[in-house]
Amino acid sequence: MRRPIALLAGFLIAGACALPASAADGDEDFTIKDPRITESSGLAASRQHPGIYWTHNDQDKGAYLYAVDSGTGETVATITMTGVGTPRDVEAISMGPGNEIYVGDIGDNDGVEWPYVWVYRLPEPKTLKDQTIRATQYVVKYSDGPRDAESLVVHPRTGRVYIIDKQEDGGHLYEAPAELSASGTNVFKPVTPVDLWATDAAFSPDGETLAARGYFGGIAYDWNGGRLKRLERINVPLGQGESVSYSADGTKIMLGSEGANSNVVAKDAPGGAGSSDSSSGSGSSASSGEGDSGRTGDLKVGAVAVLVACVVVFGFRRLVRRR
């Protein structure tokens, strides 16, 4: 009877695994294994390379970006940026529309003295391999004087760039001009308070939610056209928490930290934020919510199916033994 039982179990489990692919959407915890990455200060999910996250050291020996495979924790490509001079304190990375990578060389924690900081923009490569890519460098100043900052975000629909300054009693969201100029100075202006000592931030893929994190906690905001409305608290892992990114499908937020072999912890996205094709601008907060409900339902159905399979198999074996 063992063979029929095994076949029955195989059919049942195969049926459970044949649920819609969305049941498996979302990334999981992983560890950054590259010994070169000891100060991972930013994190951004690739949209054209599933499961890949871009990161960087805050102070490196060159202008490097690392593509890390969340499935293995291994670096699968290293980008050397040219055209940007010598970076000072790279603190953030964000994906913009059209698979453009934005890098924030915006740290200024030694006395807050830099008269300007830099933002770099470069195309994400279609092929993941070690390569050199020329980036565009933008000079950034703040309308109210030098600031220390570690959070840079790019709205996935409008492409507008924002920075959150880092202050222990809370900072502000600073807005860039509608179009960045590579030939002049780009003045960022404060538009709304952020109630957090922010070390990083990220937009949901649909652009409806802004997640900001610090060392001891985080806050999810309804974007509300830039007029932030607080949604909920975000629990963060203990440690030198320096980075946050949404997963590409929007179902998870990924929380990273500094240090060798640093961990990236996946948590359910706040507010049930769903995915949206930011390049096409489709989707809405309502439709995203429905998508998350569907995913949750799929997961529940999958769990029930596996449980039923186990009960049938073990019950059948008990019945055979009695005979």
Side-chain angles (χ1 to χ4, degrees), residues 252-266:
K252 302 285 186 180
I253 54 170
M254 314 297 290
L255 299 156
S257 59
E258 283 195 355
N261 294 311
S262 60
N263 294 322
V264 177
V265 177

Side-chain angles (χ1 to χ4, degrees), residues 119 136-140 176-188:
V119 171
T136 302
Q137 178 171 301
Y138 302 100
V139 175
V140 170
E179 297 288 340
L180 293 179
S181 170
S183 58
T185 299
N186 299 275
V187 179
F188 281 54

Side-chain angles (χ1 to χ4, degrees), residues 66-285:
Y66 306 95
V68 178
D69 184 340
S70 62
T72 64
E74 303 287 351
T75 298
V76 295
T78 301
I79 288 179
T80 302
M81 292 183 289
T82 62
V84 301
T86 302
R88 291 190 297 221
D89 190 356
V90 179
E91 292 286 357
I93 187 168
S94 181
M95 295 298 301
N99 298 317
E100 295 277 339
I101 300 175
Y102 289 75
V103 181
D105 190 354
I106 55 178
D108 191 1
N109 55 13
D110 293 326
V112 191
E113 61 186 14
W114 300 121
Y116 57 85
V117 291
W118 297 305
V119 171
Y120 313 133
R121 179 177 59 85
L122 65 154
E124 182 185 34
K126 294 181 179 179
T127 302
L128 291 176
K129 62 180 182 179
D130 293 352
Q131 56 193 294
T132 298
I133 298 178
R134 186 169 187 83
T136 302
Q137 178 171 301
Y138 302 100
V139 175
V140 170
K141 288 186 176 181
Y142 303 98
S143 61
D144 51 357
R147 327 295 296 173
D148 182 27
E150 297 187 2
S151 310
L152 176 142
V153 292
V154 182
H155 196 275
R157 290 182 178 174
T158 68
R160 198 153 194 167
V161 181
Y162 299 86
I163 292 173
I164 301 173
D165 64 333
K166 183 184 178 185
Q167 297 193 61
E168 190 170 354
D169 58 351
H172 283 79
L173 179 77
Y174 283 78
E175 184 180 68
E179 297 288 340
L180 293 179
S181 170
S183 58
T185 299
N186 299 275
V187 179
F188 281 54
K189 298 178 181 180
V191 290
T192 189
V194 175
D195 304 321
L196 191 71
W197 192 14
T199 60
D200 200 13
F203 275 113
S204 59
D206 60 12
E208 298 294 331
T209 306
L210 176 70
R213 70 154 303 167
Y215 297 123
F216 309 111
I219 302 173
Y221 293 96
D222 179 359
W223 177 241
N224 191 35
R227 300 179 299 278
L228 301 182
K229 290 184 178 180
R230 185 168 174 154
L231 291 175
E232 62 185 83
R233 295 282 301 179
I234 299 172
N235 293 323
V236 303
L238 295 177
Q240 185 75 9
E242 293 284 348
S243 61
V244 63
S245 172
Y246 276 82
S247 59
D249 66 3
T251 63
K252 302 285 186 180
I253 54 170
M254 314 297 290
L255 299 156
S257 59
E258 283 195 355
N261 294 311
S262 60
N263 294 322
V264 177
V265 177
K267 290 182 176 289
D268 289 339
S275 64
S276 173
D277 185 354
S278 61
S279 62
S280 65
S282 62
S284 67
S285 57

Side-chain angles (χ1 to χ4, degrees), residues 32-52:
I32 298 175
K33 298 178 180 179
D34 193 329
R36 297 172 297 175
I37 306 173
T38 58
E39 296 180 309
S40 175
S41 293
L43 201 65
S46 171
R47 298 190 189 109
Q48 62 177 338
H49 303 295
I52 297 298

